[in-house]
């Protein structure tokens, strides 16, 4: 029997009505003779509500207890979904992350899945149940403490379960119709992509496309689990994320991200080991670095810029400040009024001139570029926050229709 | 170091303010050089809220999933209390029932504690933590499913933990000042008892004194764990429940209960095995029977009356109806408009005439008695629901002051 993993986010299970709707959808999948594993997030804003409660009792809640608290959220939604499925006449069994064998490291709040032990899920399926698994959570087998996986954790749970149990597809249900050529709120003429490769999806996610987090795409790519991103409100097909096909687009889409801040260290002495010292320090403080740009100046010193999540901007400054002094750098500035716009497409690596067209399109729209970073299939520019919508529209228009396909060889 | 177990009910942890107040109280106990285990219920009405959610998605939620759902409640309150204690500078560790080694049978919704495995609690205490344990929940070691203990489950958790870990006292914090000679809402002149024996407390609890459930008193009596029932809002001493002392009261107090219904089977043929068949059937349907009264009539038939929780009245009727026919009984009637009033005191067993005074006091207040049941230390009467407050006041006045003490011998 085919095995389908379905993941429903918080919006899809926000209230009893929606939970019943999800149950009907799961029931249809089950009746179509599939084994089904369902991964659920906490209901609507309930995780935020729990976080608020925590901050009402403590200004600095310990991470272990925060995880204990937050894992109550999925416990509620998964039990309710199991009940709703029983009401539909479909046997169902809910399992916590720990019960479903989701083992993680000990990093409370941002744990990584290290192993999946599938016994209880397998037994549940063999007895004819739909097995419902709490997303976003696992257990550290050493301390036996529960952990949470951090942002995008439920998607990661779903794709990891799909991989461990050899699922035929991992369906990610969300409140949008799939992956778009740009954010439709910014570019009304943006179109839904039918397929996108793992590599492209990784770049789109890194560029700010919030529909799917990079970590779940990485798991999907590593174990070749096709991911189907689709709406929980309509039956239409969404976007398939899978291995690249014969037909490869030059440009897939435009992503943007307003959640980052830019830090610049001015006048760093230009000698070996300086960058290493800086980024080792930041890694030690668990700061997530996205873009890094360094240019060597002519006076024997250099400027290093990097972007970090805005939520970590203060921590980054705290971590880097002593080092700035130590290295004899001139100054450290953190700028939160920035945004990043990225053009993504696996075909651009064989299409010269794409970068030039990007810079020209932005220049024509009078948008100044503050940082540039590229990969073989992506070009990212940091611009002023206020310019980002214009930048997205300019790039989408320049490469319109953004999905430009060409026939490539069997190595494509 | 002395070990104190403290249990805080839902009212005591109903909101962040109250959780912080509980944390300060626990912190004081800890700083007074005690090891402390804290048992918490779910916040305020949160369990009821979860039950409502369940009924919104299913008319008949499976018991296993109901337990999965409800156990989220204590998970939230215990994590928040741990955070609040950290804020007070007191290291704390929250553990679910399962993590705290509370093993139960498989009866979802009304599980019984079968064993306590104390390793994680002990390790937590040895590392200097206040250990916070979720009340009301455990785990069935066979299925590895979480279970809930039903009514009074958090008190039972606390007393069982106190027994398993050899605590010096189990403090039950509640929204009243202790155990009273009668419900102060009915009898304004009712007074708080300083001590009450396990046996008397069992009878008071069975009689409807809601402050402490019989099941936790039973555990306390079996393992001789002194229980201190006290207010979570003031520092005053409450009521100590412990082994009977040299000084024994004739009458401890008046309890009443409006949560029961009375079932009567009329005209049951008077032959051996009839009562056995009836109550075996009811036990098989998991109906909790309280009082049973049978009188043999003169026409070779008998009437059997018994009381059950109102919530089980329909189930009792369903279970008993076929048997009524089978036995050739005349009729089955269920009456929910009743109440029970009980006079309790260990001294009454050696004081003749107490029963007569009870019946006279009720008669003088024009209250009709519909059922009578006695134990060596209790007299209970079923009366019309509308008469119960009058009955409580009449008995409290008759035996006023209700705590009549006399010196008894060393065997007292």
């Amino acid at each position: 029997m085919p095995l389908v993993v379905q993941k429903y986010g918080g919006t899809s299970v926000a209230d009893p009505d929606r939970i019943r709707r999800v149950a009907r959808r799961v029931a249809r999948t089950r009746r179509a003779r599939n084994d089904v594993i369902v991964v659920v997030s906490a209901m609507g804003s309930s995780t935020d509500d729990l976080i608020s409660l925590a901050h009402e009792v403590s200004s600095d809640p310990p991470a272990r207890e925060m995880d204990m608290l937050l894992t109550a959220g999925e416990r509620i939604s998964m039990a309710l979904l199991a009940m709703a499925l029983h009401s539909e006449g479909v046997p169902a069994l809910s399992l916590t992350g720990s019960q479903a064998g989701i083992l993680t490291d000990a990093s409370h709040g941002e744990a990584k899945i290290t192993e999946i032990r599938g016994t209880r899920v397998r037994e549940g399926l063999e007895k004819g149940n739909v097995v419902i698994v709490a997303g976003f959570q696992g257990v550290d087998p050493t301390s036996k403490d529960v952990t949470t996986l951090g942002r995008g954790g439920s998607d990661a749970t779903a794709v990891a379960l799909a991989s461990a149990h050899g699922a035929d597809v991992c369906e990610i249900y969300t409140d949008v119709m799939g992956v778009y050529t740009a954010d439709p709120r910014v570019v009304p003429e943006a179109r839904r992509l039918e397929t996108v490769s793992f590599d492209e999806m990784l770049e789109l996610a890194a560029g700010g496309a919030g529909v799917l987090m990079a970590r779940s795409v990485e798991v999907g790519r590593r174990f070749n689990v096709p991911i189907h991103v689709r709406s929980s409100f309509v039956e239409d097909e969404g976007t398939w994320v899978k291995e690249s096909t014969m037909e490869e687009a030059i440009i897939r889409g435009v992503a943007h991200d307003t959640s980052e801040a830019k830090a610049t260290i001015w006048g760093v002495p230009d000698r070996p080991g300086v960058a290493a010292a800086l980024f080792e320090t930041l890694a030690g403080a668990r700061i997530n670095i996205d873009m890094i740009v360094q240019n060597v100046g002519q006076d024997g010193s250099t400027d290093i810029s990097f972007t970090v999540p805005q939520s970590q901007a203060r921590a980054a400054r705290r971590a880097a400040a002593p080092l700035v002094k130590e290295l004899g750098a001139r100054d450290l500035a953190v700028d939160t009024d920035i945004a990043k716009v990225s053009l993504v497409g696996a075909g651009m690596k064989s299409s010269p001139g794409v970068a030039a067209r990007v810079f020209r399109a932005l220049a024509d729209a009078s948008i100044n570029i503050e940082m540039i970073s590229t990969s073989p299939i992506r070009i990212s520019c940091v611009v002023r926050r206020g310019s980002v919508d214009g930048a997205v529209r300019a790039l989408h228009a320049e490469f319109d229709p953004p999905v430009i396909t060409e026939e490539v060889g069997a190595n494509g």
Side-chain angles (χ1 to χ4, degrees), chain A:
Chain A
M1 203 181 290
L3 172 62
V4 177
V5 174
Q6 299 189 328
K7 179 261 173 177
Y8 293 91
T11 319
S12 305
V13 293
D15 58 48
D17 264 355
R18 291 188 182 185
I19 289 172
R20 282 200 305 269
R21 184 156 51 187
V22 166
R24 286 193 294 272
R25 184 149 198 158
V26 173
R28 278 200 300 278
T29 310
R30 177 77 186 115
R31 291 201 184 98
R33 302 193 60 74
N34 296 290
D35 276 334
V36 187
I37 299 171
V38 181
V39 174
V40 283
S41 303
M43 293 170 73
S45 64
S46 62
T47 299
D48 291 339
D49 297 344
L50 290 173
I51 292 172
S52 301
L53 273 176
H55 288 291
E56 281 187 73
V57 299
S58 170
S59 56
D60 184 22
R64 178 197 184 273
E65 300 300 332
M66 197 58 144
D67 281 357
M68 187 63 97
L69 179 72
L70 296 185
T71 48
E74 296 85 37
R75 195 178 192 86
I76 293 170
S77 54
M78 76 186 192
L80 291 174
L81 181 56
M83 293 173 186
L85 274 165
H86 278 267
S87 276
E88 293 286 327
V90 175
L93 180 79
S94 71
L95 297 175
T96 64
S98 169
Q99 291 174 332
I102 315 259
L103 308 191
T104 73
D105 61 21
S107 308
H108 285 291
E110 50 179 19
K112 300 276 174 290
I113 298 175
T114 54
E115 186 185 340
I116 292 193
R117 296 198 182 143
T119 316
R120 284 190 82 174
V121 170
R122 208 155 39 234
E123 287 173 359
L125 293 173
E126 279 163 7
K127 287 179 184 156
N129 291 294
V130 167
V131 175
I132 303 168
V133 177
F136 179 69
Q137 58 176 251
V139 64
D140 166 15
T142 308
S143 68
K144 297 198 179 98
D145 284 334
V146 298
T147 52
T148 65
L149 307 181
R151 286 220 319 155
S154 291
D155 289 356
T157 302
V159 181
L161 279 171
S163 152
H165 290 280
D168 297 271
V169 58
C170 180
E171 299 181 336
I172 305 284
Y173 287 86
T174 174
D175 51 356
V176 295
M177 301 284 294
V179 183
Y180 279 71
T181 53
D183 186 336
R185 288 167 298 190
V186 176
V187 182
E189 57 273 29
R191 281 173 303 113
R192 181 177 60 76
L193 295 166
E194 282 177 27
T195 64
V196 58
S197 71
F198 288 121
D199 285 344
E200 289 169 323
M201 191 65 230
L202 273 179
E203 295 284 10
L204 286 169
V211 64
L212 203 58
M213 300 289 291
R215 65 190 297 188
S216 48
V217 183
E218 279 166 6
V219 179
R221 178 170 69 165
R222 190 167 339 129
F223 299 102
N224 194 19
V225 180
I227 301 173
H228 187 184
V229 181
R230 57 196 305 196
S231 164
S232 56
F233 302 113
V234 297
E235 292 284 339
D236 303 12
E237 291 260 310
T239 300
W240 284 83
V241 186
K242 52 188 187 182
E243 289 203 316
S244 50
T245 54
M246 294 287 282
E247 191 185 33
E248 201 164 64
I250 295 176
I251 304 298
R252 277 294 176 200
V254 182
H256 71 282
D257 189 350
T258 56
S259 71
E260 298 196 339
K262 179 181 74 166
T264 305
I265 302 178
W266 305 97
V268 184
D270 184 23
R271 60 170 189 265
V274 164
L278 173 62
F279 291 103
E280 278 162 11
T281 300
L282 292 168
R286 309 187 75 88
I287 310 288
N288 294 315
I289 308 295
D290 178 24
M291 293 169 74
I292 299 174
V293 172
Q294 177 183 359
N295 266 324
V296 177
Q298 294 194 324
D299 58 349
S301 80
T302 181
D303 306 327
I304 301 181
S305 288
F306 53 92
T307 62
V308 296
Q310 278 184 35
S311 58
Q312 295 191 314
R314 280 177 59 191
R317 178 193 285 276
R318 232 181 357 249
L323 200 72
V324 167
K325 207 161 175 184
E326 210 171 286
L327 295 174
R330 204 163 61 239
D331 199 10
L332 165 67
V334 175
D335 183 349
T336 58
D337 192 36
I338 58 129
K340 184 176 68 171
V341 59
S342 304
L343 188 75
V344 174
M348 73 167 71
K349 58 191 165 198
S350 53
S351 299
V354 172
R357 283 172 66 193
V358 166
F359 305 149
R360 171 54 54 203
L362 293 178
D364 286 350
S366 304
I367 292 164
N368 192 41
I369 302 173
E370 304 189 11
M371 277 173 84
I372 299 171
S373 159
T374 64
S375 85
I377 64 169
R378 174 187 49 79
I379 299 167
S380 294
C381 301
V382 167
V383 299
R384 284 290 95 193
R385 173 75 61 89
S387 308
V388 69
D389 286 2
V392 172
R393 280 191 286 265
L395 293 182
H396 198 271
E398 170 64 23
F399 294 94
D400 185 36
V403 186
I404 302 162
T405 58
E406 58 172 0
E407 293 298 318
V408 296
N411 62 334

